[in-house]
Amino acid sequence: MATVAVYRAVLGGGRPTLPYAETGRPGSGPPLVLVHGYADSWWTFEPMLRAMPAVLHAYAPTQRGHGDADKPAEGYLPEDFADDLVAFLDHLGIERAVLVGGSSGGVQARIVAGRRPDRVAGLVLLGTPALLADKPGVAAVRETVRTLEDPVDREFAAEFARGLAAGRVAPGFLETVVDESLKAPARVWRETLRGLLETDLAATLTGILVVWGDRDPLLTRSDQQLILDAIPDSRLVVHEGAGHVVYWEDPERVVRELAAFAAGLRR
């Protein structure tokens, strides 16, 4: 089991301070930077980080407004998260990285890949939507999120998290995910979701490896096909029986796929 250390990145220049987890050691290839999704934190990748072989050097930052990161009054559009991500790379002196976007975290990863391809060695999308505003389940969540007040109701956060998985997830880990999501104020839940729904996601499509669970309650196979059709050299990996967050349900397999992908980049 890999050792995971947690640090804080003081980005400066008016940008927030972001906690981040790190595992592995610098190697011959670019590091992985794991980008979490809506109402999450770096903890969403903890099972993957623990399963990482030493040859993989990985970082997982918590984004503004989430978890224990700074929570500025504004700046919750996908473009704001993407700018923070580039600033995070700058802070750590990372010239190029493999961006691994989990769920909606793949949106800001796609934006960085499109705007700053010089900083991206590869892109992996784990259950990332091609489009979001057309999903009936998302519309229902938005109606509920509009009325959220502080403190955010735990049962709502727990139901939201449980609804993302189709297979077994360790109860203790799921409780941690819910605890982390409750650190985001109601305004962050509202503004982050609003930004995702109002952004032209189709314009951000770019990538190489697409990972999807065939029991995803949010994203259909046709949604993922939109990404594949937009990117000639992209490849789909299907996790049969997995839900939206494949990295919760089968972290060891996802790590193996990342390792193979990174090795291919080095070759």
Side-chain angles (χ1 to χ4, degrees), residues 19-21 34-47 49 60-69 71 102 173 176-184 247-248:
Y20 68 95
L34 313 181
V35 188
H36 70 76
Y38 178 63
D40 248 329
S41 72
W42 76 261
W43 265 99
T44 198
F45 296 116
E46 196 268 352
L49 293 169
T62 293
Q63 299 176 82
R64 64 166 64 203
H66 295 71
D68 294 319
K71 298 171 175 62
F173 170 72
T176 298
V177 168
V178 174
D179 289 341
E180 289 293 296
S181 71
L182 291 173
K183 293 178 180 179
Y247 42 95
W248 291 359

Side-chain angles (χ1 to χ4, degrees), residues 99 106-107 109-111 113-114 117 120-126 128-131 201-211 221-237 261:
L99 300 184
V107 174
R110 282 172 4 198
I111 291 173
V120 180
L123 183 62
V124 180
L125 305 177
L126 307 175
T128 295
L131 304 173
L201 298 191
T204 69
L205 288 179
T206 182
I208 295 177
L209 181 62
V210 180
V211 180
R221 175 66 174 78
S222 60
D223 178 85
Q224 300 296 277
Q225 191 64 44
L226 291 174
I227 299 177
L228 299 171
D229 291 344
I231 310 149
D233 59 352
S234 60
R235 180 168 62 91
L236 176 67
V237 174
F261 181 72

Side-chain angles (χ1 to χ4, degrees), residues 41 47-48 63 79 87 93 102-103 112 127 133 136 161 163 180 216 220 242:
S41 72
M48 281 178 54
Q63 299 176 82
E79 291 83 358
S103 188
V112 174
E180 289 293 296
D216 191 324
T220 62

